[in-house]
């Protein structure tokens, strides 16, 4: 037998409305009373089972809506009471005066504390109410499509407390929150727990219309607005008061603080927004001002190599769109400026030199070149260091720096010559005092400068000249270093660039073999042996930079002419069909000179030997005039002056000149210096082997380069046309430029002229239909 | 899985280490069940709420709970289901439509949706 009459009664339709109503009222009264007890924190006297059963029965009897509305009413009533009795009394001293009379925000903090308690009480109560109304949530709320009771509680709290229509709770709350944040920004200690509790509360409440959190709709925008304003003012204040490094430190600190703030008590969604504001107000708006700060901006940082500050600026400015661009262009401009200054010291030096050019202190020329390259290298080093230590090796910066270097290096039209001279200087003297590794690293750096040169063909020409002199005059200190350098150039420009240079080395090797053979030949031969040791280097004319047509004239002494003849017979006997041209301007000779004090062995150039031998026939004190020497020797004027200078005006004065002076002029008289003394037995008379070219020589070089370019351009055109057979004008130009630009930048007018020349010589023709198209003629 | 179910039913019948007493039914038809609160909690949201620190009543170290509006026989079926996941109906109940309805109502009150299904 079942004792459960009640459920049976429940299932019955409400035929007895009175009894059902009474039951409902009874059930509801108990529940309402219980909820009040929960609000009073008196839940321990309540029975979960009973209350649950009451609510269950009400829902079961289709009184869910009455129950739901009743609950809403009881909670609203309670929250109204809470607003009046707890929240309103905790308002900080009202309005504007509060922030002044109560600068530490203690009132505000207290208000937040009260709100925190109110909120915690509310959520705790709602959890218990949810427990006893579980059946209502499950059965009624689902079907009636109303919020679950806990969410109802949140909505009620939002409308009754946070957005109360009756009391300015919302205003106070926002004002206090913003004030607390402001205090914290001004280095006051605030109670973050209370702020966080309020923020969390706002995050849990949902705005009915936007479905967003109340935090987002009510608080966030205000927070961002006030932050914007705050940092706008702060930015202006800071740029006025601090130098660039200090400013950046402050900004760094601010960014860090805001990030920490978000992490500690705001919503993570606010993080990018507040970051943007700080970046905009403190970085974007003051980019230029900070970069250009006098005595502390970007340029002073570079000048004083403040790597930490530069690194900070790089990181900081990288946060905003234009930041790195501004830095890049400022640094590039600075590089150009420094480069221009380096270029100017050269021109001022060379013009100064030009003033006493006749004095012929040609060493200065080479020194200028070496110094120019050294300064450029130092500059490069400096910015490599900046790039490395402060700019995280940012490729974009590297590119921009390279452009700046390229710009000013090519502004100096002598840069190809200078760089070649610098290499010359290092390969000549380098190994003295420097280890091979050091020289190698200097040369590696030089290669980086070489890359910047637009006219690589001009460099090649100079390099050949300088290399030729090093090889022929035996000035090159290390064969390995020379080959190393050529290897580097090969890597940069390919083998075409270096075949001729390698050919020069080959000639040197073959020549030394030839000389061994020649000696054997002389030993075996019945011919009269030359009275002197002749050493000949046979050069392939196309590899070497000497000009055959303008082969230097010089009247050699008869013994030498004879020796040369012997060699010529020997050589042509072995290699028929070749032609030998004597380059007397490149030779050296060892001669013995008797002076009053002692004998000295003199190592001199062929020209100097010719000059000195003239004095053999002269009596003591008998002098020769410049014109006599010139006439008798037939040495070209420039070379003659240079060699006389070495003999009469340099360290070792083998000749005495009248009148004295550093320059050689027509009409000068020369005497053999019998009184010459020197500590060493063997004396090397320095000839100036490498020097910066004079204007005339430069012009000549230029012409040669232009001539070579014509050939290269034609060769490129023919190569391309042979492959394509027919091609449109512009495409052809573009292709030619592409093929040649690694050596030099051909201008279209030059290419056009070459095309015309090729048409004339019937390599190409214009297409009959279209004048802009060319055909290749096999 | 059948073993798990069997072992758990032993836990109920031998009530080892029980920590909760449920008094079911109205006088004089009251039956006392000795159960394990932890199993009730994980199996039923009703009991999870009832056993939360806010609501649970402890007497003599046992959690005490009264459920007057359910017949002990019906409750036993519910409890067996909670422990083992199986519904065991004996002759007297399975033959009585009213009793089956009672089981379903009790399951509904206790939020055992799965059992009703």
């Amino acid at each position: 037998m079942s004792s459960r009459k009640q459920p049976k009664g429940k299932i019955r339709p409400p035929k007895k409305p009175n009894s059902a109503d009474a039951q409902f009222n009874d059930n509801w009264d108990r529940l309402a009373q219980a909820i009040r007890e929960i609000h009073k924190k008196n839940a321990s006297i309540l029975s979960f089972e009973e209350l649950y059963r009451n609510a269950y029965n009400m829902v079961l009897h289709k009184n869910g809506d009455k129950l739901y509305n009743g609950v809403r009413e009881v909670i609203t009533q309670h929250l109204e009471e809470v607003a009046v009795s707890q929240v309103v009394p905790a308002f900080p001293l009202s309005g504007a005066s509060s922030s002044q009379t109560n600068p530490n925000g203690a009132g505000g903090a207290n208000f937040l504390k009260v709100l925190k308690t109110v909120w915690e009480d509310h959520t705790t109560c709602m959890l218990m109410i949810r427990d006893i109304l579980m059946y209502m949530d499950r059965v009624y709320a689902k079907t009636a499509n109303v919020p679950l009771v806990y969410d109802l509680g949140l909505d009620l709290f939002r409308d009754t407390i946070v957005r109360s229509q009756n009391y300015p709770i919302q205003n106070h709350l926002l004002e206090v929150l913003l004030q607390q944040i402001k205090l914290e920004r001004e280095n006051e200690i605030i109670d973050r727990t209370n702020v966080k509790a309020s923020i969390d509360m706002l995050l849990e409440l949902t705005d009915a219309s936007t479905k967003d959190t109340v935090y987002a709709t009510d608080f966030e925008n205000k927070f961002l607005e006030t932050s914007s304003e705050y940092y706008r003012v702060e930015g202006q204040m800071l740029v006025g008061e601090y130098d660039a490094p200090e400013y950046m430190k402050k900004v760094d600190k601010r960014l860090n603080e805001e990030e920490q703030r978000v992490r500690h008590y705001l919503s993570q969604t606010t993080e990018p927004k507040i970051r943007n504001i700080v970046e905009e107000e403190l970085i974007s708006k003051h980019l230029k001002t900070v970069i250009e700060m006098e005595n502390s901006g970007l340029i002073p940082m570079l000048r004083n190599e403040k790597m930490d500050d530069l690194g900070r600026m790089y990181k900081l400015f990288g946060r905003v769109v234009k930041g790195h661009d501004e830095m890049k262009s400022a640094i590039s401009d600075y590089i150009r400026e420094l480069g221009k200054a380096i270029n100017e010291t050269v021109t001022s030096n060379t013009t100064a030199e030009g003033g006493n050019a006749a004095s012929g202190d040609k060493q200065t020329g080479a020194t200028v070149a070496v110094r120019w390259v050294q300064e450029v290298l130092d500059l490069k080093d400096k910015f490599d260091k900046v790039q490395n230590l402060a700019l995280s090796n940012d490729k974009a910066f590297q590119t921009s720096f390279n452009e700046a270097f390229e710009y000013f290096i090519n502004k100096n039209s002598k840069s190809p010559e200078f760089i070649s001279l610098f290499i010359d200087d290092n390969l000549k003297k380098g190994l003295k005092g420097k280890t091979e590794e050091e020289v190698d690293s200097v040369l590696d750096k030089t290669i980086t400068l070489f890359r910047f040169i637009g006219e690589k063909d001009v460099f090649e020409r100079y390099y050949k000249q300088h290399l030729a002199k090093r090889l022929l005059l035996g000035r090159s200190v290390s064969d390995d270093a020379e080959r190393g350098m050529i290897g580097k150039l090969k890597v940069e420009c390919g083998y075409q660039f270096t075949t001729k240079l390698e050919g020069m080395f080959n000639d040197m090797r073959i020549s030394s073999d030839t000389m061994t053979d020649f000696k054997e030949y002389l030993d075996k031969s019945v011919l009269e042996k030359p009275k002197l040791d002749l050493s000949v280097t046979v050069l392939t004319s196309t590899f070497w930079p000497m000009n055959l047509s303008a082969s230097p004239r010089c009247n050699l002494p008869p013994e030498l002419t004879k020796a040369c003849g012997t060699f010529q017979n020997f050589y042509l006997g072995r290699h028929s069909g070749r032609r030998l041209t004597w380059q007397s301007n490149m030779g050296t000779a060892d001669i013995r000179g008797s002076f009053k004090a002692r004998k000295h062995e003199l190592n001199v150039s062929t020209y100097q030997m010719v000059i000195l031998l003239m004095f053999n026939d002269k009596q003591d004190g008998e002098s020769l005039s410049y014109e006599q020497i010139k006439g008798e020797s037939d040495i070209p004027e420039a070379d003659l002056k240079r060699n006389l200078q070495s003999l009469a005006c340099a360290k070792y004065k083998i000749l005495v000149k009248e009148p004295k002076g550093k320059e050689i002029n027509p009409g000068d008289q020369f005497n053999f210096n019998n009184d010459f003394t020197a500590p060493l037995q063997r004396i090397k008379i320095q000839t100036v082997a490498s020097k910066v070219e004079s204007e005339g020589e430069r012009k000549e070089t230029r012409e040669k380069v232009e001539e070579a370019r014509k050939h290269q351009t034609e060769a490129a055109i023919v190569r391309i046309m042979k492959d394509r057979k027919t091609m449109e004008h512009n495409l052809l130009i573009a292709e030619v430029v592409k093929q040649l630009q690694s050596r030099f930048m051909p201008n279209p007018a030059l290419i056009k002229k070459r095309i015309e020349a090729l048409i004339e010589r019937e390599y190409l023709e214009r297409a009959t239909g279209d004048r802009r198209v060319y055909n290749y003629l096999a | 899985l059948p073993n798990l179910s069997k072992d758990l039913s032993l836990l109920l019948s031998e009530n080892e280490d029980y920590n909760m007493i449920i008094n079911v039914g109205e006088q004089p038809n009251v039956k006392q069940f000795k159960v394990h609160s932890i199993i009730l909690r994980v199996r039923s949201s009703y009991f999870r709420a009832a056993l939360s620190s806010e609501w649970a009543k402890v007497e003599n170290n046992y959690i005490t709970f009264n459920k007057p509006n359910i017949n002990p026989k019906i409750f036993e079926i519910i409890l067996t289901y909670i422990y083992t996941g199986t519904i065991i109906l004996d002759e007297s109940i399975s033959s009585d439509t009213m009793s089956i309805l009672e089981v379903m109502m009790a399951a509904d009150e206790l939020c055992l949706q799965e059992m009703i299904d």
Side-chain angles (χ1 to χ4, degrees):
Chain A
M1 192 203 114
S2 165
S3 68
R4 298 193 63 196
K5 302 275 186 218
Q6 265 185 328
K8 284 185 188 168
K10 293 278 145 82
I11 305 168
R12 246 180 275 136
K15 280 176 188 167
K16 295 188 220 163
N18 287 340
S19 110
D21 276 355
Q23 185 67 47
F24 165 77
N25 284 333
D26 184 40
N27 278 340
W28 169 242
D29 285 347
R30 282 164 192 255
L31 268 174
Q33 187 52 40
I35 292 173
R36 283 186 204 105
E37 294 299 337
I38 289 174
H39 281 141
K40 282 188 218 151
K41 301 178 187 175
N42 260 342
S44 58
I45 60 161
L46 301 171
S47 155
F48 169 80
E49 194 277 331
E50 207 182 307
L51 296 170
Y52 182 94
R53 184 150 39 85
N54 280 339
Y56 162 74
N57 280 328
M58 286 177 77
V59 174
L60 205 63
H61 286 95
K62 310 288 178 216
N63 286 319
D65 53 341
K66 285 183 192 159
L67 172 62
Y68 194 87
N69 291 332
V71 168
R72 186 211 304 276
E73 224 165 274
V74 173
I75 296 174
T76 308
Q77 230 170 46
H78 169 69
L79 289 175
E80 283 288 354
E81 268 172 46
V82 168
V84 182
S85 66
Q86 297 184 57
V87 181
V88 173
F91 280 170
L93 297 174
S94 69
S97 63
S98 72
S99 49
Q100 271 132 41
T101 56
N102 198 2
N104 291 332
N110 184 54
F111 175 68
L112 294 182
K113 207 167 171 182
V114 168
L115 260 187
K116 177 172 183 261
T117 316
V118 165
W119 168 248
E120 281 167 1
D121 287 350
H122 175 72
T123 50
T124 314
C125 291
M126 283 315 299
L127 287 174
M128 294 178 76
I129 293 170
R130 181 180 69 179
D131 284 346
I132 56 175
L133 298 178
M134 193 189 297
Y135 194 80
M136 179 186 84
D137 267 349
R138 196 164 67 89
V139 176
Y140 170 75
K142 288 260 169 69
T143 48
N145 199 22
V146 291
L148 299 177
V149 70
Y150 186 82
D151 298 333
L152 171 72
L154 292 180
D155 291 348
L156 294 176
F157 191 87
R158 176 193 67 206
D159 297 336
T160 320
I161 305 278
V162 174
R163 287 176 177 173
S164 166
Q165 298 292 315
N166 304 330
Y167 315 103
I169 298 175
Q170 188 183 26
N171 284 349
H172 279 288
L173 174 57
L174 296 180
E175 197 178 305
V176 167
L177 284 175
L178 295 174
Q179 191 205 14
Q180 292 284 310
I181 291 172
K182 183 163 186 250
L183 287 172
E184 194 178 48
R185 280 183 180 144
E186 277 154 14
N187 294 325
E188 302 269 351
I189 305 288
I190 62 162
D191 187 344
R192 286 177 163 187
T193 341
N194 291 331
V195 181
K196 181 173 166 44
S198 291
I199 295 291
D200 285 348
M201 173 184 84
L202 295 178
L203 277 168
E204 258 185 78
L205 302 177
T206 310
D207 179 73
S209 55
T210 60
K211 300 286 171 220
D212 215 338
T213 62
V214 171
Y215 170 90
T217 54
D218 295 11
F219 170 76
E220 195 180 41
N221 283 338
K222 284 223 162 57
F223 167 68
L224 295 175
E225 271 167 37
T226 46
S227 301
S228 239
E229 176 60 17
Y230 183 85
Y231 284 117
R232 193 178 60 76
V233 174
E234 170 153 301
Q236 280 164 357
M237 190 269 289
L238 290 179
V239 281
E241 271 179 34
Y242 293 98
D243 63 6
E246 278 305 310
Y247 181 85
M248 295 191 302
K249 277 179 202 157
K250 298 263 181 224
V251 177
D252 235 4
K253 189 160 160 267
R254 280 307 193 192
L255 282 163
N256 202 20
E257 281 171 9
E258 290 301 333
E259 199 204 320
Q260 292 294 324
R261 180 168 1 269
V262 170
R263 190 176 312 156
H264 280 111
Y265 58 80
L266 298 181
S267 160
Q268 211 50 46
T269 54
T270 307
E271 203 276 327
K273 299 174 190 167
I274 183 67
R275 177 155 38 92
N276 280 344
I277 284 174
V278 182
E279 285 167 356
E280 169 67 19
E281 295 297 336
L282 295 188
I283 305 176
S284 288
K285 286 199 175 166
H286 302 289
L287 268 184
K288 284 213 163 177
T289 323
V290 175
I291 285 177
E292 286 163 9
M293 274 186 179
E294 232 182 318
N295 305 324
S296 72
L298 180 53
I299 304 306
M301 285 177 200
L302 289 169
R303 195 183 303 131
N304 302 319
E305 308 203 341
K306 300 276 190 205
M307 296 303 175
D308 289 349
D309 292 337
L310 287 166
R312 183 170 291 115
M313 184 180 269
Y314 174 77
K315 282 210 195 84
L316 215 51
F317 285 17
R319 289 165 165 270
V320 301
V321 188
K322 283 268 164 221
H324 278 173
D325 287 348
E326 292 284 354
M327 273 183 85
K328 249 181 343 206
S329 74
I331 300 178
S332 296
D333 286 351
Y334 182 56
I335 293 176
R336 279 168 212 236
E337 199 182 296
L338 292 176
K340 197 174 155 211
I342 295 175
N343 285 346
E344 270 163 10
T345 59
V346 169
T347 41
S348 69
N349 260 317
T350 41
T351 47
E353 191 204 2
N356 59 352
S359 80
D361 193 356
K362 305 276 182 175
Q363 284 294 12
T364 323
T367 320
V368 167
V370 170
R371 203 173 58 220
W372 182 85
V373 176
Q374 193 55 57
E375 280 178 25
V376 176
L377 281 179
D378 290 348
L379 194 64
K380 182 90 176 63
D381 267 353
K382 180 184 172 108
F383 283 93
D384 282 349
K385 212 162 98 192
V386 171
Q387 168 74 358
N388 200 0
L389 296 177
L391 305 177
S392 313
N393 285 320
D394 187 319
K395 288 269 187 301
F397 275 80
Q398 186 66 66
T399 311
S400 149
F401 291 1
N402 285 350
E403 279 164 12
F405 273 97
E406 205 174 313
Y407 172 81
F408 83 77
I409 285 175
N410 286 304
K411 271 278 170 192
N412 176 11
S413 59
K414 293 177 188 167
S415 55
E417 184 185 2
F418 281 7
I419 292 172
S420 176
L421 276 171
F422 181 81
I423 297 171
D424 185 62
D425 191 61
N426 270 282
L427 288 175
K428 248 167 31 188
K429 313 176 198 160
L431 296 183
K432 295 171 194 162
K434 282 186 190 166
T435 67
E436 272 192 54
E437 284 78 26
E438 279 168 341
V439 173
D440 204 52
S441 95
V442 170
L443 294 180
D444 267 339
K445 284 180 190 165
T446 318
I447 283 286
T448 64
L449 297 192
F450 166 75
R451 278 183 206 137
F452 295 136
I453 299 177
E455 300 182 302
K456 297 212 169 40
D457 55 343
V458 178
F459 170 86
E460 186 194 3
R461 184 162 290 275
Y462 284 113
Y463 193 82
K464 246 156 85 172
Q465 271 170 24
H466 296 145
L467 174 62
K469 282 180 185 161
R470 285 200 297 279
L471 291 178
L472 295 179
L473 302 178
R475 292 286 185 80
S476 190
V477 176
S478 150
D479 219 40
D480 286 345
E482 289 285 1
R483 286 182 187 279
M485 189 64 207
I486 286 174
K488 291 186 213 301
L489 290 171
K490 198 173 189 171
V491 169
E492 288 300 314
C493 294
Y495 72 96
Q496 289 129 315
F497 194 88
T498 51
T499 36
K500 289 186 178 173
L501 303 179
E502 279 164 357
M504 289 163 75
F505 274 99
N506 227 18
D507 280 348
M508 293 305 288
R509 210 188 58 236
I510 292 171
S511 291
S512 104
D513 293 349
T514 307
M515 283 326 291
T516 322
D517 293 351
F518 181 54
K519 290 226 168 65
E520 272 174 34
Y521 164 83
L522 286 181
D523 287 343
K524 288 179 192 155
S525 130
V526 291
L527 292 171
E528 189 193 346
K529 291 201 173 81
K531 295 204 175 79
L532 46 94
D533 278 339
L534 181 69
S535 174
V536 181
T537 316
V538 182
L539 313 178
T540 312
S541 60
T542 49
F543 294 161
W544 295 73
M546 280 61 126
N547 194 339
L548 278 184
S549 55
S551 167
R553 309 142 295 165
C554 170
N555 294 331
L556 296 174
E559 297 99 66
L560 190 53
T561 316
K562 205 170 153 197
C564 288
T566 311
F567 178 79
Q568 198 152 347
N569 288 336
F570 159 77
Y571 188 80
L572 294 178
R574 304 179 132 212
H575 307 276
S576 63
R578 293 195 186 176
R579 194 160 64 91
L580 288 178
T581 310
W582 295 95
Q583 301 280 336
S584 47
N585 59 330
M586 303 303 291
T588 61
D590 287 333
I591 53 175
R592 197 165 295 134
S594 310
F595 301 93
K596 228 181 240 169
R598 61 189 278 198
K599 287 186 177 178
H600 284 285
E601 250 179 56
L602 306 176
N603 177 267
V604 297
S605 72
T606 310
Y607 284 151
Q608 285 162 357
M609 174 194 72
V610 171
I611 296 165
L612 289 176
L613 288 180
M614 284 183 199
F615 288 90
N616 271 354
D617 311 331
K618 299 292 171 274
Q619 299 296 318
D620 268 6
E622 197 178 335
S623 65
L624 283 169
S625 71
Y626 173 77
E627 284 75 13
Q628 277 175 300
I629 298 173
K630 182 166 155 26
E632 218 170 298
S633 67
D634 204 19
I635 298 171
E637 191 153 354
D639 287 326
L640 180 61
K641 277 189 178 172
R642 205 145 53 86
N643 282 293
L644 280 171
Q645 225 166 10
S646 309
L647 289 170
C649 312
K651 187 175 170 192
Y652 301 113
K653 293 187 172 52
I654 315 293
L655 297 180
V656 180
K657 184 173 85 80
E658 264 320 314
K660 302 226 180 304
K662 287 247 164 197
E663 299 166 34
I664 307 293
N665 292 311
D668 283 354
Q669 293 286 326
F670 297 91
N671 263 315
F672 183 67
N673 182 10
N674 225 338
D675 300 325
F676 175 80
T677 54
L680 293 168
Q681 158 79 10
R682 218 182 122 82
I683 292 165
K684 191 171 172 83
I685 305 294
Q686 297 285 346
T687 24
V688 186
S690 43
K691 57 178 170 65
V692 176
E693 287 186 321
S694 66
E695 277 315 308
E697 287 168 310
R698 180 174 309 285
K699 214 172 149 194
E700 203 177 298
T701 309
R702 201 73 228 175
E703 278 163 13
K704 282 183 199 158
V705 168
E706 292 302 337
E707 197 56 36
R709 284 182 182 179
K710 278 186 196 168
H711 294 311
Q712 284 166 10
T713 311
E714 286 188 358
I717 295 169
V718 170
R719 211 162 40 235
I720 294 163
M721 289 306 294
K722 196 171 177 182
D723 183 42
R724 307 283 180 91
K725 302 300 179 214
T726 177
M727 212 172 179
E728 201 270 329
H729 177 79
N730 286 337
L731 292 176
L732 178 58
I733 301 259
E735 189 60 31
V736 172
V737 169
K738 199 175 136 202
Q739 289 206 2
L740 293 176
Q741 66 192 0
S742 70
R743 294 180 58 79
F744 64 96
M745 209 36 170
N747 76 49
L750 169 81
I751 303 175
K752 210 172 161 208
K753 264 194 184 154
R754 288 302 100 206
I755 293 174
E756 275 154 16
L758 287 169
I759 290 173
E760 222 161 84
R761 286 172 9 234
E762 298 188 337
Y763 282 94
L764 306 178
E765 65 168 15
R766 290 184 196 278
T768 38
D770 188 347
R771 304 272 299 158
R772 303 283 295 165
V773 173
Y774 306 109
N775 295 328
Y776 178 70
L777 298 174
Chain B
L1 222 62
N3 278 337
L4 180 69
S5 176
K6 208 173 83 201
D7 293 348
L8 285 171
S9 75
L10 283 178
L11 199 59
L12 178 62
S13 57
E14 291 174 12
N15 52 54
E16 247 175 71
D17 285 337
Y18 72 97
N19 67 335
M20 179 177 180
I21 295 166
I22 306 179
N23 299 306
V24 181
E26 279 174 16
Q27 289 299 343
N29 186 20
V30 176
K31 187 173 176 190
Q32 197 173 63
F33 292 91
K34 291 171 178 165
V35 297
H36 308 80
S37 69
I38 192 161
I39 290 187
L40 269 53
R41 260 170 120 93
V42 297
R43 294 282 292 157
S44 143
S45 50
Y46 175 88
F47 281 111
R48 192 179 312 129
L51 292 165
S52 71
S53 59
E54 278 87 3
W55 295 113
K57 303 268 186 295
V58 180
E59 282 170 23
N60 304 325
N61 290 327
Y62 291 106
I63 302 169
T64 317
F65 192 80
N66 297 322
K67 193 68 195 131
N69 65 331
I70 297 180
N71 183 321
K73 272 175 88 176
I74 304 295
F75 191 78
E76 196 167 353
I77 295 167
I78 302 269
L79 207 53
T80 308
Y81 172 77
I82 286 177
Y83 269 78
T84 66
T86 54
I87 302 167
I88 299 162
L89 303 173
D90 64 23
E91 277 293 295
S92 65
I93 290 172
S94 61
S95 58
D96 178 2
T97 333
M98 264 340 268
S99 296
I100 292 186
L101 196 63
E102 264 188 79
V103 172
M104 286 184 63
M105 285 192 59
D108 177 56
E109 184 186 340
L110 302 183
C111 299
L112 294 165
Q113 192 57 43
E114 217 181 296
M115 185 179 178
I116 301 167
D117 295 343

